[in-house]
Coordinates of all heavy atoms in Angstrom, one line a residue:
N1 N 0.8 -1.2 0.0 CA 0.0 0.0 0.0 C 0.8 1.3 0.0 O 0.5 2.3 -0.6 CB -1.0 0.0 1.2 CG -2.1 -1.0 1.0 OD1 -3.1 -0.7 0.3 ND2 -2.0 -2.2 1.6
A2 N 2.0 1.2 0.7 CA 2.9 2.4 0.6 C 3.4 2.6 -0.8 O 3.4 3.8 -1.2 CB 4.1 2.1 1.6
R3 N 3.7 1.6 -1.5 CA 4.2 1.8 -2.9 C 3.1 2.3 -3.8 O 3.3 3.3 -4.6 CB 4.7 0.4 -3.4 CG 5.1 0.5 -4.9 CD 5.7 -0.9 -5.3 NE 4.7 -2.0 -5.2 CZ 3.8 -2.3 -6.0 NH1 3.7 -1.5 -7.2 NH2 3.0 -3.3 -5.8
L4 N 1.9 1.8 -3.6 CA 0.8 2.2 -4.5 C 0.3 3.7 -4.1 O -0.2 4.3 -5.0 CB -0.4 1.3 -4.4 CG -0.1 -0.1 -5.0 CD1 -1.2 -1.1 -4.6 CD2 0.1 -0.1 -6.5
M5 N 0.6 4.1 -2.9 CA 0.2 5.4 -2.5 C 1.3 6.4 -2.6 O 1.1 7.6 -2.3 CB -0.4 5.4 -1.1 CG -1.7 4.6 -0.9 SD -2.3 4.6 0.8 CE -2.9 6.3 1.0
G6 N 2.5 6.0 -3.0 CA 3.7 6.9 -3.1 C 4.1 7.3 -1.7 O 4.6 8.5 -1.6
M7 N 4.0 6.5 -0.7 CA 4.4 6.8 0.7 C 5.5 5.8 1.2 O 5.8 4.8 0.5 CB 3.2 6.8 1.6 CG 2.2 7.8 1.2 SD 0.8 7.8 2.4 CE -0.2 9.2 1.8
K8 N 6.0 6.1 2.3 CA 7.0 5.2 2.9 C 6.3 4.2 3.8 O 5.3 4.4 4.4 CB 8.0 6.0 3.8 CG 8.9 6.9 3.0 CD 9.9 7.6 4.0 CE 10.9 8.5 3.2 NZ 11.8 9.2 4.1
T9 N 6.9 2.9 3.8 CA 6.4 1.9 4.7 C 6.7 2.3 6.1 O 7.7 3.0 6.4 CB 7.0 0.5 4.4 OG1 6.4 -0.4 5.2 CG2 8.5 0.5 4.6
T10 N 5.8 2.0 7.0 CA 6.0 2.4 8.4 C 6.3 1.2 9.3 O 6.2 1.3 10.6 CB 4.8 3.1 8.9 OG1 3.6 2.3 8.7 CG2 4.6 4.4 8.1
G11 N 6.6 0.0 8.8 CA 6.8 -1.2 9.6 C 5.6 -1.8 10.2 O 5.6 -2.4 11.2
N12 N 4.4 -1.6 9.5 CA 3.1 -2.1 10.0 C 2.6 -3.3 9.1 O 1.4 -3.5 9.2 CB 2.1 -1.0 10.0 CG 2.4 0.0 11.1 OD1 3.0 1.0 10.9 ND2 1.9 -0.3 12.3
G13 N 3.5 -3.9 8.3 CA 3.0 -5.1 7.6 C 3.0 -6.3 8.5 O 4.0 -6.8 9.0
R14 N 1.8 -6.8 8.8 CA 1.6 -7.9 9.7 C 0.7 -9.0 9.2 O -0.2 -8.8 8.4 CB 1.0 -7.4 11.0 CG 1.7 -6.2 11.6 CD 1.3 -5.9 13.0 NE 1.6 -7.1 13.9 CZ 1.2 -7.1 15.2 NH1 0.4 -6.2 15.7 NH2 1.4 -8.2 15.9
R15 N 1.0 -10.2 9.6 CA 0.2 -11.4 9.2 C 0.1 -12.3 10.4 O 0.9 -12.4 11.3 CB 0.8 -12.1 8.0 CG 2.2 -12.6 8.2 CD 2.7 -13.3 6.9 NE 3.7 -12.5 6.2 CZ 4.0 -12.7 4.9 NH1 3.4 -13.7 4.2 NH2 5.0 -12.0 4.3
E16 N -1.0 -13.0 10.4 CA -1.3 -14.0 11.5 C -0.3 -15.1 11.5 O 0.2 -15.6 12.5 CB -2.7 -14.5 11.4 CG -3.0 -15.5 12.6 CD -4.4 -16.0 12.5 OE1 -5.4 -15.2 12.2 OE2 -4.7 -17.2 12.7
S17 N 0.0 -15.6 10.3 CA 1.0 -16.7 10.1 C 1.5 -16.8 8.7 O 1.1 -16.0 7.8 CB 0.3 -18.1 10.5 OG -0.6 -18.5 9.4
Y18 N 2.3 -17.8 8.4 CA 2.9 -18.0 7.1 C 1.7 -18.3 6.1 O 1.9 -18.1 4.9 CB 3.8 -19.2 7.1 CG 3.2 -20.5 7.3 CD1 2.7 -21.3 6.3 CD2 3.1 -21.0 8.6 CE1 2.0 -22.5 6.5 CE2 2.5 -22.2 8.9 CZ 2.0 -23.0 7.8 OH 1.3 -24.2 8.1
A19 N 0.6 -18.7 6.5 CA -0.5 -19.0 5.6 C -1.4 -17.8 5.3 O -2.5 -17.9 4.7 CB -1.4 -20.1 6.3
H20 N -0.9 -16.6 5.7 CA -1.7 -15.4 5.4 C -0.9 -14.3 4.7 O 0.3 -14.2 4.9 CB -2.2 -14.8 6.7 CG -3.1 -15.7 7.5 ND1 -2.7 -16.7 8.3 CD2 -4.5 -15.8 7.5 CE1 -3.7 -17.4 8.8 NE2 -4.8 -16.9 8.4
L21 N -1.6 -13.5 4.0 CA -0.9 -12.3 3.4 C -0.7 -11.2 4.4 O -1.5 -11.0 5.3 CB -1.8 -11.7 2.2 CG -1.7 -12.4 0.9 CD1 -2.8 -11.9 0.0 CD2 -0.3 -12.0 0.2
P22 N 0.4 -10.4 4.3 CA 0.5 -9.3 5.2 C -0.4 -8.2 4.9 O -0.8 -7.9 3.7 CB 2.0 -8.8 5.0 CG 2.3 -9.3 3.6 CD 1.5 -10.6 3.4
L23 N -0.9 -7.5 5.9 CA -1.8 -6.3 5.8 C -1.3 -5.2 6.6 O -0.5 -5.4 7.6 CB -3.2 -6.7 6.3 CG -3.9 -7.9 5.6 CD1 -5.1 -8.3 6.5 CD2 -4.3 -7.5 4.2
P24 N -1.6 -4.0 6.3 CA -1.2 -2.9 7.3 C -2.1 -3.0 8.5 O -3.3 -3.0 8.5 CB -1.6 -1.6 6.5 CG -2.6 -2.0 5.4 CD -2.3 -3.5 5.1
R25 N -1.4 -3.2 9.6 CA -2.0 -3.4 10.9 C -1.4 -2.6 12.0 O -0.2 -2.2 12.0 CB -1.9 -4.9 11.3 CG -2.4 -5.9 10.3 CD -3.9 -5.9 10.2 NE -4.6 -6.2 11.4 CZ -4.9 -7.5 11.8 NH1 -4.5 -8.5 11.1 NH2 -5.5 -7.7 13.0
M26 N -2.2 -2.3 13.1 CA -1.6 -1.6 14.2 C -0.7 -2.5 15.0 O -0.7 -3.7 15.0 CB -2.8 -1.1 15.1 CG -3.5 0.1 14.6 SD -5.0 0.5 15.5 CE -6.2 -0.6 14.7
T27 N 0.2 -1.8 15.8 CA 1.1 -2.5 16.8 C 0.6 -2.1 18.2 O -0.3 -2.7 18.8 CB 2.5 -2.2 16.5 OG1 2.8 -0.8 16.5 CG2 3.0 -2.8 15.1
N28 N 1.3 -1.1 18.7 CA 0.8 -0.4 20.0 C 0.3 1.0 19.6 O 1.1 1.8 19.2 CB 2.0 -0.3 21.0 CG 2.6 -1.7 21.3 OD1 2.0 -2.6 21.8 ND2 3.9 -1.8 21.0
T29 N -1.0 1.2 19.8 CA -1.6 2.5 19.3 C -2.1 3.2 20.5 O -2.9 2.7 21.3 CB -2.7 2.2 18.3 OG1 -2.2 1.3 17.3 CG2 -3.1 3.5 17.6
F30 N -1.7 4.5 20.7 CA -2.1 5.2 21.9 C -2.1 6.7 21.6 O -1.5 7.2 20.7 CB -1.2 4.8 23.0 CG 0.3 4.9 22.7 CD1 1.0 6.1 23.0 CD2 0.9 3.9 22.2 CE1 2.3 6.2 22.7 CE2 2.3 3.9 21.9 CZ 3.0 5.1 22.1
M31 N -2.8 7.4 22.5 CA -2.8 8.9 22.5 C -1.8 9.4 23.6 O -1.7 8.8 24.7 CB -4.2 9.4 22.8 CG -4.3 10.9 22.7 SD -6.0 11.5 23.2 CE -7.0 10.7 21.9
L32 N -1.1 10.4 23.2 CA -0.1 11.0 24.2 C -0.7 11.8 25.2 O -1.9 12.2 25.1 CB 1.0 11.8 23.4 CG 1.8 11.0 22.3 CD1 2.9 12.0 21.8 CD2 2.4 9.8 22.9
N33 N 0.1 12.1 26.3 CA -0.4 12.9 27.4 C -0.8 14.3 27.0 O -0.3 14.9 26.1 CB 0.7 13.0 28.4 CG 0.7 11.9 29.5 OD1 -0.4 11.4 29.8 ND2 1.8 11.6 30.0
G34 N -1.8 14.8 27.8 CA -2.1 16.2 27.8 C -1.5 16.9 29.1 O -0.5 16.3 29.6
E35 N -2.1 17.9 29.5 CA -1.6 18.7 30.7 C -2.5 18.6 31.9 O -2.1 19.1 33.0 CB -1.3 20.1 30.3 CG -0.3 20.3 29.2 CD -0.1 21.7 28.8 OE1 -0.9 22.6 29.3 OE2 0.8 22.0 28.0
C36 N -3.7 18.0 31.8 CA -4.6 18.1 32.9 C -4.4 17.0 33.9 O -4.1 15.8 33.6 CB -6.1 18.0 32.3 SG -6.5 19.3 31.2
D37 N -4.7 17.4 35.2 CA -4.7 16.4 36.2 C -6.0 15.6 36.1 O -7.1 16.2 35.9 CB -4.7 17.1 37.6 CG -4.6 16.1 38.7 OD1 -5.6 15.3 39.0 OD2 -3.6 16.0 39.4
P38 N -6.0 14.3 36.2 CA -7.3 13.5 36.0 C -8.4 13.9 37.0 O -9.5 13.9 36.6 CB -6.8 12.0 36.3 CG -5.4 12.0 35.9 CD -4.8 13.4 36.3
A39 N -8.0 14.2 38.2 CA -8.9 14.7 39.2 C -9.6 16.0 38.8 O -10.8 16.2 39.0 CB -8.3 14.8 40.6
E40 N -8.9 16.8 38.1 CA -9.5 18.1 37.6 C -10.4 17.8 36.5 O -11.4 18.5 36.4 CB -8.3 19.0 37.2 CG -7.4 19.5 38.3 CD -6.3 20.4 37.8 OE1 -6.2 20.5 36.5 OE2 -5.5 20.9 38.6
I41 N -10.2 16.8 35.7 CA -11.1 16.5 34.6 C -12.4 16.0 35.2 O -13.5 16.4 34.7 CB -10.5 15.4 33.7 CG1 -9.2 15.9 33.0 CG2 -11.5 14.9 32.7 CD1 -8.5 14.9 32.1
I42 N -12.4 15.1 36.2 CA -13.6 14.6 36.8 C -14.3 15.8 37.5 O -15.5 16.0 37.3 CB -13.3 13.6 37.9 CG1 -12.6 12.3 37.3 CG2 -14.5 13.2 38.7 CD1 -13.5 11.5 36.5
A43 N -13.6 16.7 38.1 CA -14.2 17.8 38.8 C -14.9 18.8 37.9 O -15.7 19.6 38.3 CB -13.1 18.5 39.7
S44 N -14.5 18.8 36.6 CA -15.0 19.7 35.6 C -16.4 19.3 35.1 O -17.0 20.1 34.4 CB -14.1 19.9 34.4 OG -14.1 18.7 33.6
V45 N -16.8 18.1 35.4 CA -18.1 17.5 34.9 C -19.2 17.7 35.9 O -19.1 17.1 37.0 CB -17.9 16.1 34.5 CG1 -19.2 15.5 33.9 CG2 -16.7 15.9 33.4
K46 N -20.2 18.4 35.5 CA -21.4 18.5 36.4 C -22.2 17.2 36.4 O -22.6 16.7 37.5 CB -22.3 19.7 36.0 CG -23.4 19.9 36.9 CD -24.2 21.2 36.5 CE -25.3 21.4 37.5 NZ -26.1 22.6 37.2

């Protein structure tokens, strides 16, 4: 897909086993920190 889209591969070609084709798949996917204290987030909700 990287070749067909003119982009760089990102190391996300994954397959379940030798009997499967590789597909673009997630590895560890997460959102980075913000600046708020979790207690303040709770306190902000009525």
Side-chain angles (χ1 to χ4, degrees):
N1 286 282
R3 177 175 58 84
L4 293 172
M5 295 179 73
M7 297 181 177
K8 292 182 178 180
T9 183
T10 57
N12 287 93
R14 305 192 64 185
R15 57 179 109 197
E16 181 178 318
S17 76
Y18 67 88
H20 300 84
L21 276 168
L23 302 168
R25 305 290 300 271
M26 285 173 274
T27 57
N28 304 297
T29 311
F30 50 94
M31 186 183 296
L32 298 188
N33 271 331
E35 299 178 352
C36 297
D37 185 292
E40 293 176 355
I41 295 177
I42 297 291
S44 72
V45 179
K46 184 175 182 180

